[in-house]
Amino acid sequence: MNFKVFCATIKKGIQIRIRAYPVSFMVGCILTSFYTILGSYLMYHYFFLGQLSESFELNARTTDYMSYAIVGSLMYQFIVRTCLNVSRTLITELREGTLESLMLAPFKRTSYFLGNMTMQTVLTIGETAVAAVIGIAFGFRISDFNLYHFIVAISLSLYGFFGLSLMLGCVMLYTRDTYISQNTLFAIIFLVCGITFPKEALPYCLQLFGNVIPVTDAVTLMRASLLGGLTDSEFLYLGLQEFILGTIYIVAGMPLMKHVEHIALEQMEG
Amino acid sequence: MIEVQNLQKIYNVKRRQSFFKSYKESIEAVKDISMKIEAGQIVGLLGINGAGKTTTIKMLTTLIEPTSGTYSFDGINAIENPSFVKNKINMIAGGERMIYWRLTAYENLWYYGQLYGIDNNTLKNRIESLLQMVGLEDKANLPVETFSKGMKQRLQIARGMINDPKYIFLDEPTIGLDAVVTKELHDEIRKLSKVREKGILLTSHYLAEVEELCDYIYLVNKGELVVEGTKKDLTEYVYNRKQYCFSVQGMDENIIMRLHNYLISLDIDVEIVQQDDRAIITSKFELSSALAQFAIKENLIIKELYEIEPSLEQAVIKLSQQICREAESIA
């Protein structure tokens, strides 16, 4: 890893954000989180009348639905912000006319992407913290906090999200589309990754689909670190699964990105 | 030295036939190009009819790989060692691309310097000298989005020099710039080549620019090399006949007729056209001494006598017309 490129990319990203921070976009993301929490609140209190089935308790490993849904929503916001921005980096360079000058420089792409991921993570943590404060008003309670599990969950989530961002970035750069690809992925994540309800409620094929997206386990791990419900061995097993899945995405994503970069540069001409 | 032999590039592109239907097509953007660029030399790449200039530059900068052909960079196989090449080259394109508008001039150069792995002390000094070189030292801390076109272009030149490249590729560098800024850039390009010994490849739509700056020119058409040489070589290749401007005191139709009768004995195909008080003579032979002798023989006072050197622009236009005619006759 090239630390010069890594640090320079973080610095460049922060300088650009300071001059042109997309405040409305940030507010939009927090609002999405707010609406998801509000929707869950209304359903739970007025539709389910505060009653949870046994199957929910069995699969979610908690009886606190609002905290369950709020952790899911916060993680969802985190994924949307990091994934979206990291995967958009190259297509943004292409649109702003800096892709060629970037590709002319002889540096390793990994440092560039990690720099963008780190910069975005720092910004997203701030936004997620704001959304978490809103969640408290809707009944978000951290009932069984485990710092060790929390650090592991954060690290593995970022690892998995980085891999997912690379793959999404490849799709975006290849299709030169950001809107359809990102929204499709985020809709799928919301449906099959256990954001506001346990994935076990879905048909088996969709559960399998959810299992190959490195968000499902990340959300479960994060919930376990805040709300409990998993034994140490279960946590370790899920953590290992998330690590393997993230590795597969990164190992496949990096060379694929390089290939797609070449295609993008050729498409600029052809 | 950069040396490419028989460079070819085929793009496989997807074309949309209708909303749901598309088909694949192979486009041969560059068919066969061989060229050389030496340090301290400005080489022009001129094109007619979608010549594949930008594709050629992209292959030379290793941004894209050629489909076939060889590319030697200071004796090293450039296709297999793109990182080696990237360290020693840079590219400056026309327009307002290749720089971050939301960063300041200094921040732009600093970021690119980091990408090239330049150590911080060297980078600091280099940025300062480059900003001074392009006259932006007072604007170093202003965001690029507040810059005029000319200032952005000057910053691009500084960016293109950040890694102190041995070879620089200039792709339409003065596009959209006014005459004053263009003149300044021309001086800068000349300095880079002649003072700092950089090898430069220049593509431009402005033939006068190529004519003014380039030591050697490659003319390509539809991805193939048509002719190469100095400006003089190119014009001689196109114009196999010489033109003279001849004017004497009291020039009239009578003198023109006598001149024609005199010259026809030397060249049966000689053509003379009267333009005001001048005679424009076209011949395949060297006639300057014959014209002087005619004036002496006729007791005429010469006002003007010189060979008209066709401009590169005229030569390229004529060549382009010739190529079009040939293509039509084949069709």
Side-chain angles (χ1 to χ4, degrees):
Chain A
M1 172 138 125
N2 184 333
F3 276 97
K4 266 177 110 66
V5 175
F6 174 74
C7 297
T9 306
I10 295 174
K11 193 174 171 185
K12 180 202 77 171
I14 290 171
Q15 283 166 335
I16 289 176
R17 294 302 162 96
I18 286 170
R19 293 209 180 96
Y21 194 76
V23 177
S24 57
F25 191 64
M26 182 199 78
V27 172
C29 281
I30 294 172
L31 277 178
T32 306
S33 191
F34 168 72
Y35 295 142
T36 313
I37 295 169
L38 182 67
S40 305
Y41 178 85
L42 293 175
M43 275 209 295
Y44 178 58
H45 287 282
Y46 298 99
F47 190 57
F48 301 133
L49 300 171
Q51 302 294 310
L52 292 170
S53 69
E54 280 181 14
S55 66
F56 175 84
E57 290 179 25
L58 192 71
N59 292 321
R61 311 277 183 105
T62 179
T63 52
D64 181 359
Y65 176 73
M66 280 316 297
S67 294
Y68 177 92
I70 289 167
V71 173
S73 298
L74 295 177
M75 282 296 277
Y76 181 71
Q77 183 190 335
F78 200 83
I79 296 153
V80 169
R81 290 292 274 154
T82 50
C83 235
L84 184 68
N85 283 289
V86 174
S87 53
R88 280 164 70 126
T89 47
L90 281 190
I91 199 163
T92 306
E93 301 273 5
L94 177 77
R95 287 174 178 170
E96 291 183 355
T98 48
L99 185 67
E100 282 172 303
S101 50
L102 197 73
M103 295 297 140
L104 273 173
F107 68 92
K108 297 269 181 221
R109 305 284 180 267
T110 319
S111 315
Y112 170 80
F113 284 116
L114 282 174
N116 274 310
M117 180 79 184
T118 308
M119 187 269 301
Q120 192 53 49
T121 301
V122 171
L123 292 176
T124 309
I125 283 172
E127 293 164 12
T128 310
V130 175
V133 171
I134 296 169
I136 291 168
F138 287 91
F140 175 41
R141 300 289 176 267
I142 299 171
S143 52
D144 189 4
F145 182 65
N146 183 321
L147 181 65
Y148 165 70
H149 282 183
F150 182 73
I151 292 167
V152 172
I154 280 268
S155 309
L156 288 174
S157 298
L158 289 174
Y159 187 69
F161 298 166
F162 181 64
L164 187 64
S165 305
L166 286 178
M167 294 303 256
L168 179 61
C170 291
V171 175
M172 283 181 174
L173 197 58
Y174 183 76
T175 58
R176 298 201 180 196
D177 159 76
T178 47
Y179 192 76
I180 297 172
S181 43
Q182 79 192 24
N183 286 335
T184 306
L185 178 68
F186 296 149
I188 290 170
I189 287 173
F190 193 81
L191 281 174
V192 303
C193 296
I195 302 296
T196 54
F197 58 88
K199 69 174 194 307
E200 285 77 9
L202 292 166
Y204 186 65
C205 60
L206 288 180
Q207 287 182 44
L208 286 179
F209 190 47
N211 285 342
V212 296
I213 301 174
V215 174
T216 311
D217 291 339
V219 175
T220 311
L221 287 169
M222 187 54 75
R223 274 200 190 104
S225 74
L226 297 171
L227 310 174
L230 287 184
T231 63
D232 278 353
S233 59
E234 283 173 327
F235 190 89
L236 190 70
Y237 175 77
L238 272 185
L240 196 65
Q241 201 169 284
E242 174 72 7
F243 178 74
I244 293 168
L245 205 54
T247 306
I248 293 170
Y249 274 75
I250 291 170
V251 166
M254 287 308 289
L256 188 64
M257 182 60 86
K258 207 169 180 183
H259 182 65
V260 174
E261 277 171 21
H262 281 292
I263 293 173
L265 286 166
E266 293 212 351
Q267 278 177 347
M268 283 166 81
E269 264 315 287
Chain B
M1 182 171 69
I2 286 178
E3 189 171 8
V4 292
Q5 290 286 335
N6 310 111
L7 222 53
Q8 184 202 34
K9 180 68 195 175
I10 299 172
Y11 289 116
N12 293 311
V13 292
K14 221 180 205 181
R15 298 271 189 232
R16 194 169 283 280
Q17 201 165 15
S18 64
F19 193 75
F20 295 106
K21 275 188 180 174
S22 60
Y23 63 95
K24 280 190 174 175
E25 192 184 359
S26 289
I27 295 171
E28 201 175 13
V30 171
K31 286 177 188 164
D32 183 6
I33 286 181
S34 301
M35 64 192 307
K36 283 180 192 172
I37 308 164
E38 286 175 37
Q41 190 185 34
I42 306 179
V43 172
L45 186 61
L46 272 179
I48 314 167
N49 310 327
K53 298 190 298 285
T54 305
T55 302
T56 305
I57 282 201
K58 282 190 177 175
M59 286 191 282
L60 294 178
T61 52
T62 71
L63 280 176
I64 58 173
E65 273 182 32
T67 310
S68 67
T70 60
Y71 177 8
S72 163
F73 189 99
D74 288 346
I76 285 168
N77 184 338
I79 300 166
E80 285 173 8
N81 301 285
S83 292
F84 175 80
V85 176
K86 281 176 177 169
N87 270 308
K88 293 182 179 239
I89 58 147
N90 215 320
M91 179 180 170
I92 297 161
E96 295 162 288
R97 298 178 291 140
M98 291 192 164
I99 39 175
Y100 295 94
W101 284 31
R102 281 178 182 152
L103 296 183
T104 65
Y106 191 96
E107 287 163 355
N108 261 289
L109 297 179
W110 181 85
Y111 180 61
Y112 280 106
Q114 298 296 317
L115 295 184
Y116 281 94
I118 302 163
D119 79 79
N120 288 339
N121 283 338
T122 312
L123 183 61
K124 190 174 175 287
N125 294 334
R126 194 172 292 167
I127 291 173
E128 280 165 11
S129 69
L130 285 173
L131 285 172
Q132 205 169 7
M133 182 186 95
V134 296
L136 289 174
E137 67 270 37
D138 298 338
K139 313 281 181 192
N141 296 315
L142 287 179
V144 172
E145 58 194 346
T146 63
F147 283 17
S148 67
K149 256 187 183 180
M151 285 158 72
K152 283 180 192 137
Q153 195 61 20
R154 294 211 298 264
L155 179 61
Q156 260 230 64
I157 291 191
R159 185 204 54 74
M161 297 290 297
I162 196 70
N163 58 328
D164 193 21
K166 196 172 171 188
Y167 299 94
I168 306 170
F169 299 93
L170 302 172
D171 191 12
E172 313 269 356
T174 55
I175 202 158
L177 297 182
D178 62 44
V180 179
V181 181
T182 301
K183 167 84 177 56
E184 284 172 11
L185 282 182
H186 285 177
D187 293 343
E188 211 54 66
I189 292 166
R190 235 180 259 114
K191 249 189 269 171
L192 288 175
S193 160
K194 306 305 168 203
V195 180
R196 302 184 69 173
E197 284 284 300
K198 310 285 178 196
I200 293 175
L201 179 72
L202 169 77
T203 74
S204 178
H205 272 115
Y206 306 125
L207 295 170
E209 182 170 81
V210 175
E211 187 169 5
E212 185 190 332
L213 293 172
C214 296
D215 305 310
Y216 201 82
I217 299 160
Y218 290 89
L219 187 67
V220 288
N221 176 52
K222 292 182 179 167
E224 274 180 309
L225 198 62
V226 178
V227 61
E228 65 176 280
T230 60
K231 182 213 151 190
K232 200 167 182 310
D233 295 337
L234 257 65
T235 49
E236 277 176 8
Y237 172 83
V238 179
Y239 293 93
N240 49 14
R241 304 179 83 191
K242 293 174 187 288
Q243 273 196 321
Y244 300 91
C245 175
F246 180 63
S247 173
V248 291
Q249 270 185 9
M251 178 73 101
D252 59 15
E253 283 177 9
N254 199 13
I255 294 176
I256 296 277
M257 205 169 71
R258 292 207 303 276
L259 177 66
H260 188 259
N261 290 339
Y262 176 74
L263 293 177
I264 208 157
S265 60
L266 302 169
D267 176 9
I268 196 154
D269 297 320
V270 72
E271 288 169 18
I272 303 177
V273 177
Q274 189 177 355
Q275 278 181 4
D276 304 322
D277 64 341
R278 293 184 181 93
I280 305 297
I281 301 137
T282 309
S283 167
K284 58 187 174 220
F285 298 115
E286 163 61 47
L287 291 180
S288 41
S289 56
L291 288 166
Q293 276 169 11
F294 171 77
I296 294 164
K297 194 176 86 136
E298 297 275 333
N299 282 325
L300 298 169
I301 298 166
I302 297 173
K303 278 166 68 184
E304 285 177 301
L305 172 56
Y306 60 88
E307 188 181 331
I308 301 169
E309 202 174 307
S311 71
L312 185 65
E313 186 159 5
Q314 286 168 320
V316 171
I317 290 167
K318 192 163 178 222
L319 193 63
S320 168
Q321 286 164 346
Q322 271 175 18
I323 288 167
C324 286
R325 274 198 299 273
E326 278 167 25
E328 277 167 20
S329 68
I330 290 165

